[in-house]
Amino acid sequence: MSARERIRYMRVFVFFDLPVDTAAQRKEYRLFRKYLVKEGFLMLQESVYAKLVVNDAQANAAVIRLRQHRPPAGLVQALKVTEKQFAGMEFITGSRQSYSELDTLEEFVVL
């Protein structure tokens, strides 16, 4: 397998709707959100996070880890898309703020 075949950039999206009625539920929400950030997911919108991975195997591993850290209640969904599909996203309202995203294909980011 060549290097080009192994690197197929993908995005893993996580959509979640968790209950926050009780103190225990709010704690579970905070813990899940902290887990996502620790795993390298970036917030796109409230309750919508995405992570850049280099191939399908990494995407599958990220989904497996999500299953292991899922909260006890609520809905959590994962979606894998190629980087080409992600780049075709249309912004209906608002715009993409280039300074707000550090998750790029560039090898080096100067902060």
Side-chain angles (χ1 to χ4, degrees):
M1 186 183 305
S2 72
R4 185 176 175 102
E5 290 173 317
R6 283 180 272 144
I7 298 177
R8 182 176 180 215
Y9 292 104
M10 301 184 77
R11 300 273 176 154
V12 178
F13 286 89
V14 177
F15 309 90
F16 60 94
D17 186 15
L18 304 179
V20 290
D21 298 325
T22 67
Q25 289 173 333
R26 287 189 293 275
K27 181 178 179 182
E28 290 294 332
Y29 175 92
R30 285 191 308 272
L31 290 174
F32 184 67
R33 189 188 163 289
K34 282 183 182 182
Y35 165 76
L36 290 175
V37 172
K38 181 181 170 195
E39 277 289 303
F41 285 87
L42 296 175
M43 185 172 72
L44 297 180
Q45 292 184 11
E46 191 173 331
S47 299
V48 179
Y49 285 70
K51 177 180 181 174
L52 179 69
V53 295
V54 295
N55 57 33
D56 193 48
Q58 274 195 359
N60 290 335
V63 173
I64 289 170
R65 287 191 304 276
L66 278 168
R67 284 190 180 119
Q68 293 170 346
H69 291 87
R70 69 179 182 261
L75 176 66
V76 177
Q77 298 168 292
L79 173 67
K80 299 182 295 183
V81 298
T82 65
E83 188 61 16
K84 185 176 180 179
Q85 291 167 326
F86 177 77
M89 183 180 351
E90 294 185 34
F91 293 87
I92 308 300
T93 301
S95 63
R96 180 180 187 154
Q97 297 175 352
S98 60
Y99 61 84
S100 68
E101 185 175 346
L102 295 177
D103 189 14
T104 68
L105 295 177
E106 294 179 21
E107 299 273 336
F108 181 70
V109 177
V110 177
L111 301 176

mmCIF file of all heavy atoms in Angstrom, residues 37-60:
data_model
loop_
_atom_site.group_PDB
_atom_site.id
_atom_site.type_symbol
_atom_site.label_atom_id
_atom_site.label_comp_id
_atom_site.label_asym_id
_atom_site.label_seq_id
_atom_site.Cartn_x
_atom_site.Cartn_y
_atom_site.Cartn_z
ATOM 1 N N VAL A 37 -13.267 17.338 23.473
ATOM 2 C CA VAL A 37 -12.194 18.314 23.307
ATOM 3 C C VAL A 37 -10.840 17.640 23.517
ATOM 4 O O VAL A 37 -9.892 17.861 22.743
ATOM 5 C CB VAL A 37 -12.392 19.504 24.265
ATOM 6 C CG1 VAL A 37 -11.194 20.432 24.265
ATOM 7 C CG2 VAL A 37 -13.667 20.267 23.890
ATOM 8 N N LYS A 38 -10.732 16.791 24.529
ATOM 9 C CA LYS A 38 -9.485 16.075 24.804
ATOM 10 C C LYS A 38 -9.102 15.172 23.631
ATOM 11 O O LYS A 38 -7.926 15.013 23.312
ATOM 12 C CB LYS A 38 -9.637 15.239 26.077
ATOM 13 C CG LYS A 38 -8.395 14.481 26.470
ATOM 14 C CD LYS A 38 -8.624 13.664 27.715
ATOM 15 C CE LYS A 38 -7.455 12.734 27.952
ATOM 16 N NZ LYS A 38 -7.774 11.694 28.920
ATOM 17 N N GLU A 39 -10.086 14.600 22.954
ATOM 18 C CA GLU A 39 -9.848 13.717 21.805
ATOM 19 C C GLU A 39 -9.517 14.486 20.528
ATOM 20 O O GLU A 39 -9.232 13.885 19.502
ATOM 21 C CB GLU A 39 -11.081 12.846 21.551
ATOM 22 C CG GLU A 39 -11.149 11.630 22.413
ATOM 23 C CD GLU A 39 -10.114 10.572 22.044
ATOM 24 O OE1 GLU A 39 -10.087 10.112 20.885
ATOM 25 O OE2 GLU A 39 -9.326 10.203 22.928
ATOM 26 N N GLY A 40 -9.598 15.794 20.571
ATOM 27 C CA GLY A 40 -9.242 16.584 19.399
ATOM 28 C C GLY A 40 -10.408 17.034 18.548
ATOM 29 O O GLY A 40 -10.214 17.529 17.435
ATOM 30 N N PHE A 41 -11.626 16.890 19.052
ATOM 31 C CA PHE A 41 -12.800 17.369 18.329
ATOM 32 C C PHE A 41 -12.928 18.873 18.540
ATOM 33 O O PHE A 41 -12.680 19.373 19.628
ATOM 34 C CB PHE A 41 -14.076 16.677 18.828
ATOM 35 C CG PHE A 41 -14.220 15.260 18.353
ATOM 36 C CD1 PHE A 41 -13.654 14.221 19.060
ATOM 37 C CD2 PHE A 41 -14.931 14.973 17.200
ATOM 38 C CE1 PHE A 41 -13.786 12.908 18.635
ATOM 39 C CE2 PHE A 41 -15.077 13.665 16.759
ATOM 40 C CZ PHE A 41 -14.507 12.631 17.478
ATOM 41 N N LEU A 42 -13.321 19.567 17.477
ATOM 42 C CA LEU A 42 -13.551 21.004 17.554
ATOM 43 C C LEU A 42 -15.035 21.279 17.401
ATOM 44 O O LEU A 42 -15.713 20.640 16.595
ATOM 45 C CB LEU A 42 -12.796 21.725 16.437
ATOM 46 C CG LEU A 42 -11.276 21.631 16.482
ATOM 47 C CD1 LEU A 42 -10.673 22.277 15.245
ATOM 48 C CD2 LEU A 42 -10.732 22.278 17.736
ATOM 49 N N MET A 43 -15.531 22.255 18.159
ATOM 50 C CA MET A 43 -16.948 22.580 18.091
ATOM 51 C C MET A 43 -17.230 23.365 16.812
ATOM 52 O O MET A 43 -16.591 24.383 16.544
ATOM 53 C CB MET A 43 -17.376 23.394 19.306
ATOM 54 C CG MET A 43 -18.869 23.657 19.343
ATOM 55 S SD MET A 43 -19.442 24.429 20.867
ATOM 56 C CE MET A 43 -18.793 26.065 20.648
ATOM 57 N N LEU A 44 -18.183 22.879 16.023
ATOM 58 C CA LEU A 44 -18.645 23.607 14.844
ATOM 59 C C LEU A 44 -19.866 24.438 15.191
ATOM 60 O O LEU A 44 -20.026 25.561 14.726
ATOM 61 C CB LEU A 44 -18.993 22.644 13.708
ATOM 62 C CG LEU A 44 -17.843 21.805 13.174
ATOM 63 C CD1 LEU A 44 -18.327 20.900 12.057
ATOM 64 C CD2 LEU A 44 -16.721 22.696 12.677
ATOM 65 N N GLN A 45 -20.757 23.848 15.958
ATOM 66 C CA GLN A 45 -21.943 24.510 16.483
ATOM 67 C C GLN A 45 -22.205 23.875 17.837
ATOM 68 O O GLN A 45 -21.592 22.880 18.195
ATOM 69 C CB GLN A 45 -23.155 24.277 15.581
ATOM 70 C CG GLN A 45 -23.079 24.935 14.244
ATOM 71 C CD GLN A 45 -24.351 24.731 13.445
ATOM 72 O OE1 GLN A 45 -25.365 24.269 13.961
ATOM 73 N NE2 GLN A 45 -24.301 25.065 12.182
ATOM 74 N N GLU A 46 -23.150 24.432 18.580
ATOM 75 C CA GLU A 46 -23.483 23.834 19.862
ATOM 76 C C GLU A 46 -23.950 22.398 19.635
ATOM 77 O O GLU A 46 -24.816 22.147 18.796
ATOM 78 C CB GLU A 46 -24.585 24.635 20.547
ATOM 79 C CG GLU A 46 -24.794 24.220 21.983
ATOM 80 C CD GLU A 46 -25.768 25.128 22.697
ATOM 81 O OE1 GLU A 46 -25.867 26.306 22.344
ATOM 82 O OE2 GLU A 46 -26.427 24.629 23.621
ATOM 83 N N SER A 47 -23.343 21.464 20.309
ATOM 84 C CA SER A 47 -23.651 20.032 20.218
ATOM 85 C C SER A 47 -23.290 19.419 18.869
ATOM 86 O O SER A 47 -23.773 18.347 18.523
ATOM 87 C CB SER A 47 -25.120 19.762 20.545
ATOM 88 O OG SER A 47 -25.413 20.182 21.866
ATOM 89 N N VAL A 48 -22.423 20.079 18.101
ATOM 90 C CA VAL A 48 -21.890 19.521 16.852
ATOM 91 C C VAL A 48 -20.377 19.712 16.864
ATOM 92 O O VAL A 48 -19.891 20.846 16.885
ATOM 93 C CB VAL A 48 -22.487 20.198 15.604
ATOM 94 C CG1 VAL A 48 -21.892 19.605 14.329
ATOM 95 C CG2 VAL A 48 -23.994 20.080 15.596
ATOM 96 N N TYR A 49 -19.649 18.605 16.870
ATOM 97 C CA TYR A 49 -18.195 18.633 16.919
ATOM 98 C C TYR A 49 -17.643 17.844 15.746
ATOM 99 O O TYR A 49 -18.290 16.929 15.244
ATOM 100 C CB TYR A 49 -17.697 18.022 18.233
ATOM 101 C CG TYR A 49 -17.881 18.932 19.424
ATOM 102 C CD1 TYR A 49 -19.148 19.207 19.921
ATOM 103 C CD2 TYR A 49 -16.793 19.527 20.039
ATOM 104 C CE1 TYR A 49 -19.322 20.052 21.005
ATOM 105 C CE2 TYR A 49 -16.962 20.371 21.130
ATOM 106 C CZ TYR A 49 -18.221 20.628 21.606
ATOM 107 O OH TYR A 49 -18.393 21.459 22.663
ATOM 108 N N ALA A 50 -16.415 18.177 15.316
ATOM 109 C CA ALA A 50 -15.775 17.468 14.212
ATOM 110 C C ALA A 50 -14.295 17.294 14.505
ATOM 111 O O ALA A 50 -13.675 18.099 15.205
ATOM 112 C CB ALA A 50 -15.958 18.213 12.906
ATOM 113 N N LYS A 51 -13.742 16.225 13.943
ATOM 114 C CA LYS A 51 -12.329 15.921 14.117
ATOM 115 C C LYS A 51 -11.754 15.499 12.772
ATOM 116 O O LYS A 51 -12.381 14.738 12.033
ATOM 117 C CB LYS A 51 -12.165 14.781 15.131
ATOM 118 C CG LYS A 51 -10.745 14.332 15.343
ATOM 119 C CD LYS A 51 -10.673 13.209 16.353
ATOM 120 C CE LYS A 51 -9.224 12.793 16.566
ATOM 121 N NZ LYS A 51 -9.111 11.813 17.643
ATOM 122 N N LEU A 52 -10.559 15.976 12.453
ATOM 123 C CA LEU A 52 -9.859 15.594 11.239
ATOM 124 C C LEU A 52 -9.022 14.350 11.521
ATOM 125 O O LEU A 52 -8.289 14.313 12.510
ATOM 126 C CB LEU A 52 -8.955 16.741 10.773
ATOM 127 C CG LEU A 52 -8.120 16.498 9.532
ATOM 128 C CD1 LEU A 52 -9.022 16.404 8.303
ATOM 129 C CD2 LEU A 52 -7.106 17.612 9.356
ATOM 130 N N VAL A 53 -9.145 13.338 10.675
ATOM 131 C CA VAL A 53 -8.340 12.113 10.797
ATOM 132 C C VAL A 53 -7.720 11.820 9.439
ATOM 133 O O VAL A 53 -8.170 12.331 8.409
ATOM 134 C CB VAL A 53 -9.180 10.910 11.292
ATOM 135 C CG1 VAL A 53 -9.670 11.146 12.704
ATOM 136 C CG2 VAL A 53 -10.331 10.619 10.356
ATOM 137 N N VAL A 54 -6.673 10.979 9.415
ATOM 138 C CA VAL A 54 -5.943 10.756 8.166
ATOM 139 C C VAL A 54 -6.447 9.578 7.336
ATOM 140 O O VAL A 54 -6.066 9.449 6.179
ATOM 141 C CB VAL A 54 -4.420 10.606 8.397
ATOM 142 C CG1 VAL A 54 -3.835 11.897 8.929
ATOM 143 C CG2 VAL A 54 -4.108 9.443 9.280
ATOM 144 N N ASN A 55 -7.280 8.729 7.912
ATOM 145 C CA ASN A 55 -7.795 7.608 7.114
ATOM 146 C C ASN A 55 -9.024 6.996 7.784
ATOM 147 O O ASN A 55 -9.396 7.374 8.895
ATOM 148 C CB ASN A 55 -6.710 6.543 6.876
ATOM 149 C CG ASN A 55 -6.131 5.995 8.159
ATOM 150 O OD1 ASN A 55 -6.806 5.887 9.169
ATOM 151 N ND2 ASN A 55 -4.864 5.641 8.126
ATOM 152 N N ASP A 56 -9.624 6.054 7.092
ATOM 153 C CA ASP A 56 -10.848 5.418 7.576
ATOM 154 C C ASP A 56 -10.599 4.630 8.868
ATOM 155 O O ASP A 56 -11.466 4.566 9.732
ATOM 156 C CB ASP A 56 -11.430 4.508 6.491
ATOM 157 C CG ASP A 56 -12.838 4.066 6.806
ATOM 158 O OD1 ASP A 56 -13.667 4.934 7.166
ATOM 159 O OD2 ASP A 56 -13.107 2.851 6.706
ATOM 160 N N ALA A 57 -9.425 4.039 8.997
ATOM 161 C CA ALA A 57 -9.111 3.271 10.206
ATOM 162 C C ALA A 57 -9.126 4.176 11.439
ATOM 163 O O ALA A 57 -9.654 3.799 12.492
ATOM 164 C CB ALA A 57 -7.762 2.571 10.067
ATOM 165 N N GLN A 58 -8.544 5.363 11.317
ATOM 166 C CA GLN A 58 -8.570 6.307 12.445
ATOM 167 C C GLN A 58 -9.983 6.782 12.728
ATOM 168 O O GLN A 58 -10.353 6.984 13.880
ATOM 169 C CB GLN A 58 -7.667 7.506 12.167
ATOM 170 C CG GLN A 58 -6.241 7.286 12.540
ATOM 171 C CD GLN A 58 -5.480 8.599 12.597
ATOM 172 O OE1 GLN A 58 -6.021 9.685 12.338
ATOM 173 N NE2 GLN A 58 -4.206 8.515 12.932
ATOM 174 N N ALA A 59 -10.770 6.967 11.675
ATOM 175 C CA ALA A 59 -12.163 7.384 11.861
ATOM 176 C C ALA A 59 -12.932 6.313 12.614
ATOM 177 O O ALA A 59 -13.680 6.613 13.553
ATOM 178 C CB ALA A 59 -12.822 7.671 10.511
ATOM 179 N N ASN A 60 -12.736 5.051 12.228
ATOM 180 C CA ASN A 60 -13.407 3.946 12.915
ATOM 181 C C ASN A 60 -12.964 3.849 14.375
ATOM 182 O O ASN A 60 -13.782 3.600 15.260
ATOM 183 C CB ASN A 60 -13.144 2.625 12.192
ATOM 184 C CG ASN A 60 -13.854 2.556 10.860
ATOM 185 O OD1 ASN A 60 -14.870 3.213 10.645
ATOM 186 N ND2 ASN A 60 -13.308 1.779 9.948
#
